[in-house]
Amino acid sequence: MRSILQKALFYSTLFFTTITATAQNKNWANTNRYQANNKELMESTKQIDAVFIGNSITENWVGLDRDFFINNNYIGRGISGQTSSQILLRMREDVIKLKPRLVVINAGTNDIAEGADTYNPEITLGNIISMIQLAQANNIKVVLGLLLPTKQYRWSPDIPDVANKVIDLNAIIINYADANSIPYIDYHSALKDKDNGLDVKYGDDGVHPKIKGYHIMEPLAKEAIDKALQQ
């Protein structure tokens, strides 16, 4: 009898755990995060020059230097912790529906940090390619942002060889970009230290820039966007 009760308890616990997990992940990509602001933008007549879509690096950028976005007619659509798979799922809501002239895509570092699954660079690149193809199919120009230098994720300290994984992913992004005439922004070279990590001058936690780091990134991004929009 005890064995039967134990099994019943086990399966009931498993059932409710599954239901809870399903409920928590119902909107895994958080596609409604910017829903209200997107609605306002779609109802306006002003065309956006560029949408920046990405993770916490993009999200923090808007928070730390909102004027850069406002003054240049840019919109930020970053969500902290998101992998390329999640960002891909947000392309329609946060980019295509807004009908910008251009999208800046910055994705991949949370893939390496294994934020959602075991890291596979081919899958990450495939997600980025899918974002590019979705944008181009909707007459939206594309600029790619390379991953920022990182040596370790403090929240995932067991991930090995991070600096080289970042360099290798950037290399395959560059190869695809060059083969398909897609411009990219080399944040990595601008912000790295001698060990290919984020220079402490530009970021305190080894992953996220502070305002000084964003001030290095901004002219690089603007130059790439202006050039792409003129073509």
Side-chain angles (χ1 to χ4, degrees), residues 88 122 124-134 136 176:
L88 170 59
E122 291 184 7
T124 300
L125 180 64
N127 288 335
I128 293 171
I129 292 171
S130 293
M131 293 184 226
I132 294 167
Q133 292 172 338
L134 280 169
Q136 292 175 335
Y176 181 85

Side-chain angles (χ1 to χ4, degrees), residues 52 63 125 157 171 230:
F52 286 60
L125 180 64
Q230 290 168 7

Side-chain angles (χ1 to χ4, degrees), residues 17-28:
T17 300
T18 302
I19 292 297
T20 301
T22 301
Q24 290 174 340
N25 291 294
K26 190 173 289 186
N27 192 352
W28 180 65

Side-chain angles (χ1 to χ4, degrees), residues 13-14 28 50 97 109 126 147 159 162 174 193 197 201 204 229:
T13 301
L14 179 62
W28 180 65
K97 286 186 176 181
T109 197
L147 277 67
I159 303 294
V162 171
I174 290 170
D193 62 16
K201 295 195 302 288
D204 296 325
L229 290 177

Side-chain angles (χ1 to χ4, degrees), residues 143-190:
V143 170
L144 297 175
L146 296 188
L147 277 67
L148 276 63
T150 305
K151 288 185 292 190
Q152 185 184 53
Y153 303 105
R154 293 184 181 179
W155 61 93
S156 297
D158 296 331
I159 303 294
D161 202 24
V162 171
N164 285 325
K165 286 178 180 176
V166 168
I167 290 170
D168 291 345
L169 180 55
N170 277 341
I172 63 174
I173 291 172
I174 290 170
N175 286 341
Y176 181 85
D178 286 344
N180 293 275
S181 301
I182 299 170
Y184 61 87
I185 310 162
D186 187 1
Y187 299 130
H188 190 279
S189 295

Side-chain angles (χ1 to χ4, degrees), residues 38-131:
N38 286 347
K39 185 174 184 293
E40 291 178 9
L41 290 168
M42 286 186 285
E43 290 174 350
S44 73
T45 57
K46 183 179 180 181
Q47 185 177 41
I48 301 161
D49 282 333
V51 172
F52 286 60
I53 192 166
N55 47 50
S56 57
I57 291 167
T58 300
E59 183 177 19
N60 294 351
W61 195 344
V62 180
L64 287 173
D65 197 0
R66 187 174 298 275
D67 286 347
F68 171 70
F69 290 82
I70 293 172
N71 294 340
N72 290 291
N73 194 26
Y74 302 157
I75 296 294
R77 288 294 179 263
I79 296 182
S80 179
Q82 286 206 334
T83 64
S84 62
S85 298
Q86 292 167 303
I87 297 168
L88 170 59
L89 289 176
R90 289 197 292 116
M91 278 291 292
R92 185 163 299 280
E93 294 300 316
D94 288 343
V95 179
I96 294 169
K97 286 186 176 181
L98 300 182
K99 299 180 181 179
R101 298 173 66 196
L102 181 147
V103 61
V104 179
I105 299 169
N106 188 242
T109 197
N110 287 315
D111 298 45
I112 295 173
E114 300 191 348
D117 203 350
T118 303
Y119 172 56
N120 183 328
E122 291 184 7
I123 291 175
T124 300
L125 180 64
N127 288 335
I128 293 171
I129 292 171
S130 293
M131 293 184 226

